[in-house]
Amino acid sequence: MRGEFAEPVRHDSPRLASLQEMYTPPAREHSISDYWHILLKRKWIVIVSVAIILITTALISLHTTPIYEAVTKITISPPTSNPLNFKDNNSSSAALEDPQAGINTQVKILQSDTMSELVIHRMNLDTRADFAGRAQTQSNGGIAVSQSPAEESYRLESLIRKLQGNLTIQQIPDTTLVQVGYSDPSPALAAEIANGITAAYIEQNVKSRYDSTMQAADWLSKQLADMQIKMQTAQAKLVQYQKEHAIVGTDDKQNLTTEKLDELNRELTSAQADRIQKESLYNVAKRGDPSTLSVILQDPILSALRQRQSELQTRYAQLDTWAGQSYPQMREITSQLDQLNKSINEQVKNSVSRIHNDYQTAVNREQMLQEALGEQMGIADQLNQNAIEYKVLKQEADSNRQIYDGLLQQLKEASLAAGLTSSNTRVVDRARLPRYPTKPNIPRNLEFALLVGLVVGIALAFGLEALDATVRTPEQAETTSGLPVLGVIPMQPVFDKAGTNAARSRLLNKMPGTGTGPQPLISYLEPRSEIAEAYRALRTSILLSSVSHPPRSILVTSSVPEDGKTMTSINIAIVMAQQEKRILLVDADMRRPSIHTAFKIKGHVGLSNVLTGGAKVRDAIQSTVQPNLFVLPAGLVPPHPSELLSSSLMRDLLKTWCEEYDHVIIDSPPVITVTDAVLLSVETDAVLLIIRSGQTTAAHVRHTCGLLHSVNADVLGVVVNAADLGSPDYYHYGGKSGYYAGNKMKSQEMKLSEDRDLGQSPESEHDETLHTSS
């Protein structure tokens, strides 16, 4: 017993909130295996999602109008010059420098509104019902219904958008090939339009090149006429200038003048040098002894005279030695020397006069050459001036002539190119009648639907798992409550196979107002079953929780209704009574009593009658089919159960029962619903909290633990009830045990055999036993 009753704590008190925070589970990292088992647990969500999306996609695909696509392949070569090397004005410099840019430009042209409009008019698509629709091609007596310009423009715009919406233009990578595809419900129309688009494009391309060539030819014709006038004007000016300046062979005349000027220049230079030399000789001759001049000495006459003079002087000297002055030959020689000296002096004077004459001649020659050079330079200057103007006029005339000849050549080439213009686009494969639709692509749609279904299913699985706030496993229960897990009670199976009716009758019981449900007395009816073994394991955990002094009074409660606390109370009492201990099972849930229904005993006299004084304890306690197990039903439902359970009489009864019985098992209402369990928890030795796997939320568990700890209740631990051991949540716990399953089947077979030997059904035996005990 726990002594005096502790003051209950309000559910919204600060202390309760702090206690609830103590039981907040710590964050745990999930491994890949955890995610895998989440998918296994939610596999039906994934399967249903995949199935729904697959079926929906299949139905939509089957009811979708099939679309056929026809494809034409064309090659677009880079722009080149024409056979006559006439540059096409339609070829842009960017296309010539970057062929890929040229192909991209042509692709955009194929997708343009102008090309679509051209195809519509060229193929008369606006009057065809299979393209424009019947409403668009209505006629009145064979004549098209007149429309306003705005309506016609809107209609044409809608047809262009329809054509472009079904048109696909794409270049095949690393090639100059372009695919022109058109999609339509009619395969014939798809092929016809695909071929019509390429034909219209090639025709328009050729026409565009032809028009550009003809425009160039027209421009050249105009420029040629203007250039002809300019050329004629320049030629006339040149001729007039030649006439005015008597220019004939300007180049030859200019060459002769230049040569003559050069010759005069050389002659003048030579004359100046000769004059200087002769002037020097003349000056020397005037100032010094002319006879000493080398020029005079080199005179042959003077040389002969001097040689004769030398000879006469030699003879004179010889004769003077032996003959004397009187000698006749001496006088003759003297006379000859005098005559010879006179001749020499005259000859010297003649040489000096000749030098002076040569000097004067050189001076005159120099002056004449200078005058001739000046005149020639004037003639050369005038000639150069005339030649410059002549060359300017001649160059202008020649330039105009060349331009005129070039334009004339271009005009001839353009005229020929207009007739020889060819397209740089060629059809490689014409569109053929498609045999199979491209849309809907059922296999691809199903593959995509499968992928989407998997993604959606996995997302839903993880989303539901994240939103699932219930406690499912012992690990979650221990982490959430902060209490040890004393036992795991598996979920009771229901057998539907043929030949197991007898076993099924033991596991199920017709309960008033609830229909067919699990059998509460499973530990008694199926002692060798897996569930009974789980309850015995729970019994062991309870008894070993304190070896020296096991709890005598045990309160079994839960957070919310339908967690299985009553069934747990009954089966704990049964397995404890099977140890030949006196066990009292008290139904303290006076609001919704059910223990008397499970044992099929009378329930109108019970705990409520004892606490109100309407009956004695010995009259209210009843025996059961299980030896050593006694039950105190709840009795009639009182108006205020909480006041009765918190009375001093209830405390005294608990003390008395603990002295008379080995263990007292009390089934109480849920903790969160009412305060009955909190009131009783302080009067019992231990509290056992029942958590239903997959139903009880973590918030309820934390709230319940906070309430119990707020009144200092001795919570022994938690029990995970209705655990699906086959669920992936329990993969760490080994799933369903084949050992227990085998024992269970053997137990069922033994019971069936016993029933056949006795010739009665288990249900009748059970009913008879309960009636006898009652």
Side-chain angles (χ1 to χ4, degrees):
M1 300 296 295
R2 298 295 303 276
E4 296 297 329
F5 181 73
E7 180 181 358
V9 179
R10 292 177 57 192
H11 291 185
D12 57 350
S13 64
R15 181 186 176 190
L16 178 58
S18 62
L19 288 170
Q20 290 175 0
E21 292 178 358
M22 295 173 56
Y23 303 102
T24 301
R28 185 179 72 89
E29 295 183 358
H30 293 281
S31 62
I32 296 178
S33 60
D34 293 331
Y35 293 117
W36 172 247
H37 285 89
I38 289 174
L39 293 178
L40 289 179
K41 181 176 67 175
R42 308 278 184 178
K43 61 184 178 181
W44 286 110
I45 296 293
V46 179
I47 293 174
V48 171
S49 299
V50 172
I52 291 175
I53 294 179
L54 276 176
I55 294 173
T56 303
T57 303
L59 292 176
I60 293 175
S61 299
L62 291 175
H63 288 81
T64 300
T65 302
I67 303 298
Y68 296 85
E69 183 179 14
V71 177
T72 299
K73 290 183 181 178
I74 61 175
T75 176
I76 302 177
S77 304
T80 57
S81 59
N82 56 32
L84 297 175
N85 294 325
F86 180 73
K87 293 183 178 178
D88 187 4
N89 295 333
N90 196 34
S91 302
S92 63
S93 59
L96 292 173
E97 295 176 0
D98 187 2
Q100 183 60 42
I103 295 177
N104 293 337
T105 302
Q106 299 305 315
V107 169
K108 294 300 181 182
I109 291 175
L110 279 166
Q111 297 173 342
S112 64
D113 293 351
T114 303
M115 184 58 61
S116 299
E117 183 178 357
L118 177 63
V119 172
I120 291 174
H121 292 310
R122 187 173 182 270
M123 301 181 63
N124 298 322
L125 295 178
D126 53 342
T127 61
R128 296 179 57 171
D130 53 354
F131 178 81
R134 297 186 180 275
Q136 297 289 341
T137 57
Q138 291 179 353
S139 60
N140 185 8
I143 302 175
V145 178
S146 61
Q147 295 180 342
S148 64
E151 292 176 347
E152 182 65 25
S153 176
Y154 176 77
R155 177 173 177 269
L156 180 60
E157 181 70 18
S158 63
L159 294 178
I160 290 174
R161 294 293 167 259
K162 179 180 180 180
L163 181 67
Q164 292 179 347
N166 297 329
L167 181 65
T168 56
I169 310 291
Q170 60 181 3
Q171 180 189 3
I172 299 177
D174 301 328
T175 66
T176 59
L177 294 176
V178 176
Q179 290 189 155
V180 180
Y182 188 81
S183 301
D184 195 83
S186 172
L189 182 61
E192 183 180 356
I193 293 180
N195 290 325
I197 291 173
T198 56
Y201 168 72
I202 294 175
E203 179 182 344
Q204 183 67 15
N205 192 11
V206 173
K207 184 177 182 299
S208 175
R209 293 165 67 90
Y210 175 81
D211 292 343
S212 63
T213 305
M214 292 305 299
Q215 290 176 1
D218 294 340
W219 181 84
L220 287 174
S221 298
K222 296 178 182 179
Q223 295 298 320
L224 189 63
D226 295 340
M227 188 54 61
Q228 185 176 7
I229 297 174
K230 292 181 180 179
M231 181 191 67
Q232 292 174 353
T233 303
Q235 191 69 28
K237 289 182 179 179
L238 180 62
V239 173
Q240 183 67 26
Y241 188 81
Q242 284 179 326
K243 289 180 180 180
E244 292 177 355
H245 296 84
I247 298 175
V248 179
T250 55
D251 293 339
D252 296 337
K253 188 173 181 179
Q254 188 173 10
N255 291 336
L256 292 174
T257 303
T258 304
E259 291 178 0
K260 188 175 181 179
L261 186 63
D262 292 339
E263 185 179 355
L264 288 174
N265 196 8
R266 287 193 299 270
E267 290 289 337
L268 178 60
T269 302
S270 178
Q272 289 175 345
D274 185 53
R275 189 264 306 168
I276 292 172
Q277 181 183 4
K278 292 179 178 180
E279 183 180 5
S280 176
L281 291 175
Y282 177 69
N283 290 333
V284 172
K286 287 193 306 181
R287 291 192 300 267
D289 186 4
S291 61
T292 61
L293 290 174
S294 60
V295 177
I296 297 174
L297 293 176
Q298 292 176 359
D299 186 5
I301 299 173
L302 187 59
S303 297
L305 292 174
R306 286 185 181 280
Q307 185 177 2
R308 180 64 180 164
Q309 184 185 19
S310 178
E311 291 177 356
L312 290 176
Q313 286 177 353
T314 302
R315 288 184 64 189
Y316 178 81
Q318 291 176 355
L319 291 177
D320 185 53
T321 303
W322 59 271
Q325 292 294 327
S326 62
Y327 187 72
Q329 289 185 351
M330 288 292 289
R331 289 192 297 269
E332 184 181 357
I333 291 173
T334 302
S335 177
Q336 290 179 358
L337 285 173
D338 292 338
Q339 185 67 31
L340 186 60
N341 287 332
K342 291 178 180 180
S343 298
I344 289 174
N345 291 331
E346 290 178 359
Q347 188 63 35
V348 169
K349 290 179 180 181
N350 293 332
S351 295
V352 172
S353 178
R354 189 172 57 254
I355 291 173
H356 179 265
N357 293 333
D358 291 341
Y359 167 67
Q360 288 297 330
T361 302
V363 171
N364 295 332
R365 182 173 179 267
E366 181 183 0
Q367 291 177 353
M368 292 176 65
L369 286 174
Q370 285 181 349
E371 293 176 358
L373 182 61
E375 293 177 359
Q376 192 65 29
M377 289 183 66
I379 295 173
D381 291 340
Q382 184 65 32
L383 183 60
N384 288 333
Q385 184 177 358
N386 295 337
I388 290 173
E389 295 182 7
Y390 176 79
K391 286 183 179 179
V392 170
L393 294 174
K394 191 173 187 307
Q395 287 177 357
E396 183 179 0
D398 293 342
S399 177
N400 291 335
R401 167 64 66 179
Q402 290 177 359
I403 295 175
Y404 178 80
D405 293 340
L407 290 176
L408 183 60
Q409 180 67 22
Q410 293 282 0
L411 178 60
K412 293 179 180 179
E413 291 180 359
S415 300
L416 293 175
L420 297 176
T421 298
S422 61
S423 174
N424 62 334
T425 304
R426 180 173 57 87
V427 177
V428 178
D429 288 330
R430 288 180 57 83
R432 298 181 180 179
L433 196 68
R435 298 178 59 187
Y436 304 102
T438 56
K439 295 178 183 180
N441 190 338
I442 297 179
R444 185 180 62 185
N445 292 348
L446 293 180
E447 292 175 359
F448 183 73
L450 177 62
L451 178 62
V452 173
L454 287 174
V455 173
V456 172
I458 293 173
L460 287 176
F462 285 111
L464 293 176
E465 185 68 21
L467 295 175
D468 189 3
T470 61
V471 178
R472 292 182 175 274
T473 64
E475 181 184 10
Q476 293 175 352
E478 186 172 353
T479 304
T480 304
S481 64
L483 300 171
V485 177
L486 301 180
V488 178
I489 309 302
M491 183 182 298
Q492 287 194 32
V494 178
F495 295 93
D496 292 328
K497 296 181 180 180
T500 59
N501 292 332
R504 183 169 179 268
S505 65
R506 291 187 175 89
L507 295 177
L508 300 177
N509 179 40
K510 295 291 184 180
M511 300 178 66
T514 61
T516 302
Q519 174 55 260
L521 307 181
I522 185 68
S523 297
Y524 172 74
L525 298 176
E526 293 291 338
R528 301 179 63 181
S529 65
E530 184 179 5
I531 300 178
E533 188 64 31
Y535 283 117
R536 284 192 287 271
L538 175 60
R539 175 192 64 190
T540 303
S541 299
I542 294 173
L543 297 178
L544 294 179
S545 61
S546 178
V547 180
S548 59
H549 187 270
R552 300 293 296 274
S553 57
I554 302 171
L555 177 69
V556 180
T557 186
S558 64
S559 299
V560 292
E562 299 182 0
D563 281 350
K565 58 178 183 56
T566 300
M567 183 173 180
T568 304
S569 302
I570 293 173
N571 285 276
I572 290 176
I574 290 175
V575 295
M576 284 186 172
Q578 289 175 350
Q579 288 186 323
E580 297 183 355
K581 294 182 179 181
R582 286 174 56 83
I583 304 300
L584 176 63
L585 176 60
V586 180
D587 189 356
D589 188 358
M590 291 184 289
R591 302 173 189 272
R592 294 178 60 184
S594 59
I595 291 181
H596 67 282
T597 305
F599 284 96
K600 293 187 177 181
I601 60 177
K602 297 178 181 180
H604 59 276
V605 178
L607 179 60
S608 61
N609 303 94
V610 174
L611 293 177
T612 56
K616 296 184 178 296
V617 176
R618 63 175 177 272
D619 296 331
I621 295 176
Q622 303 180 41
S623 61
T624 63
V625 294
Q626 173 63 47
N628 300 320
L629 175 59
F630 302 91
V631 174
L632 176 60
L636 298 176
V637 178
H640 303 288
S642 300
E643 285 74 2
L644 296 179
L645 294 176
S646 61
S647 63
S648 58
L649 178 58
M650 184 65 186
R651 291 195 293 271
D652 296 338
L653 288 175
L654 283 174
K655 292 179 181 178
T656 303
W657 292 337
C658 290
E659 293 175 356
E660 295 179 356
Y661 297 92
D662 295 320
H663 296 283
V664 178
I665 309 299
I666 303 174
D667 178 29
S668 68
V671 175
I672 296 178
T673 306
V674 293
T675 60
D676 299 359
V678 178
L679 297 173
L680 289 174
S681 64
V682 297
E683 302 297 336
T684 57
D685 295 338
V687 177
L688 199 61
L689 180 61
I690 308 301
I691 298 175
R692 187 174 185 86
S693 176
Q695 179 173 313
T696 307
T697 64
H700 288 160
V701 174
R702 289 192 293 270
H703 188 52
T704 300
C705 293
L707 290 174
L708 294 176
H709 281 80
S710 65
V711 296
N712 296 324
D714 187 3
V715 183
L716 192 62
V718 297
V719 177
V720 179
N721 186 36
D724 185 6
L725 299 183
S727 171
D729 288 328
Y730 286 86
Y731 72 97
H732 290 304
Y733 305 94
K736 290 186 177 181
S737 173
Y739 176 79
Y740 291 126
N743 289 343
K744 181 176 181 180
M745 295 304 297
K746 290 180 181 179
S747 175
Q748 293 174 357
E749 293 174 359
M750 292 177 63
K751 288 290 184 179
L752 290 173
S753 177
E754 291 175 0
D755 292 341
R756 293 192 205 97
D757 295 340
L758 295 175
Q760 61 181 358
S761 67
E763 293 178 352
S764 60
E765 179 185 359
H766 180 224
D767 294 341
E768 182 180 353
T769 304
L770 289 178
H771 287 303
T772 303
S773 62
S774 300

